[in-house]
Amino acid sequence: MNQTLIIVGAGHAGGRAALTLREEGYSGRLILIGDEAHLPYERPPLSKGVLQGSTDLAECSLCDSARLAALGIEHIAGNPASRLDPQHHRLQLADGQWLTYAGLLLATGGRARRLPQEQANVFYLRTHDEALALRNELKPGARLVVVGGGFIGLEVAATARGLGCEVTVLEAGPRLAARALPPMISEALLALHRQQGVDVHLNVALECVHADAVQLVDGQRVPCDLVAVGIGMQPNIELAAAGGLEVGQGIRVDACLRTSAPDIYAAGDVCEFRLGGVYQRQETWRNAEAQGRHAALNLLGKELPFERVPGFWSDQFDWGLHSVGAMTARSVSRALPDGGLLLFCLDTNARLQGAFGWAPGNRAARDIKLCERLITASIALDVASLADADTSLKHLLRG
């Protein structure tokens, strides 16, 4: 193959796909189109190292401009894709020029969901520039209200407390990160944040934002200097939808990450794929990395089904949360040293479907890697052995 391949979206998934194409020997024209001015970078450091001021953009980037040039990857920034014409295999840019492709990858990601009311003291955290803007406001003693008790909001809260801010978290639901976490882990997360001085309010709804406070629907007024909003991501499906591709909550793909147009693939946060028979999106580092690589291979004609077990991690103060697989109704827990825990999610045949690890630092990571192997092995497990901290997971894997 020696025809033009185009990647729309120069974030983590798109950047990884471009690098993989060259690693796999593709030598044709390769164009990477990004909305941001920056080179492809990873997003997890934005709410931690970048916000703390301990990590710069270069440390988050997948590659530098010299490497991109050496690989012959054409990076188009500030001239986003505006129209897709799958029938004629072409793409129009904002300046009006048309590009013809032999294969196309849509890794358009998403944007932060915004409050209906715009206010000067309201900040979001999806891009590097947004992280820098928020970082400039996180001074010791600053009163920060975080709207949203999901991972982004909680990581911002933890970082802000470390910088000496007074932090209040407002969560509309009955517990933290309820869509992604089982109740036991949500409770542990809540306890840690309250121990660290974060004022967490559950079951509250925001009425409006003022210059010096947020007003809640129940009449409460929470004084603040600034507001950080973490209420989810809006997937960028507009280009695909206008081009006639099948979309749902994301750009829908088959088992090989191919869209409803045979020469167009999707990957990363915007990609809606079947997992356990149900369409879903995965907004994680792990998914962007894996799907970016996988889509690149299939653009080269490999026809490989995407079967990676989902997973994520989150750093909260000096604790680490690690997860793999899926939540189920049946679970069993195991106590870890230093107050940590493992939570195993089982199906009706006692086969592991998912696991969550909560422990200081990175201590649960190794156990979660073993859990991923147990999920893949799909073997019936002894529930008592899972709960017993003296029974190694390696022993269960052997047995």
Side-chain angles (χ1 to χ4, degrees), residues 286 324 362 364-374 397:
R286 178 186 175 105
V324 68
N362 211 30
R366 179 175 172 275
D367 287 327
I368 293 301
K369 286 181 180 178
L370 290 170
C371 287
E372 182 173 358
R373 292 172 63 187
L374 283 168
L397 193 59

Side-chain angles (χ1 to χ4, degrees), residues 220-289:
Q220 288 186 73
R221 186 180 174 91
V222 182
C224 68
D225 301 305
L226 67 154
V227 177
V229 180
I231 53 174
M233 187 203 81
Q234 179 69 43
N236 293 327
I237 62 173
E238 292 82 3
L239 182 71
L245 302 186
E246 184 182 359
V247 299
Q249 296 302 308
I251 302 172
R252 290 197 164 171
V253 298
D254 66 11
C256 294
L257 304 183
R258 184 187 292 106
T259 70
S260 53
D263 54 0
I264 302 178
Y265 293 77
D269 290 356
V270 78
C271 177
E272 190 175 36
F273 61 103
R274 286 189 186 274
L275 187 63
V278 178
Y279 274 116
Q280 61 176 273
R281 291 184 302 104
Q282 295 281 332
E283 299 169 16
T284 67
W285 180 97
R286 178 186 175 105
N287 187 64
E289 176 74 12

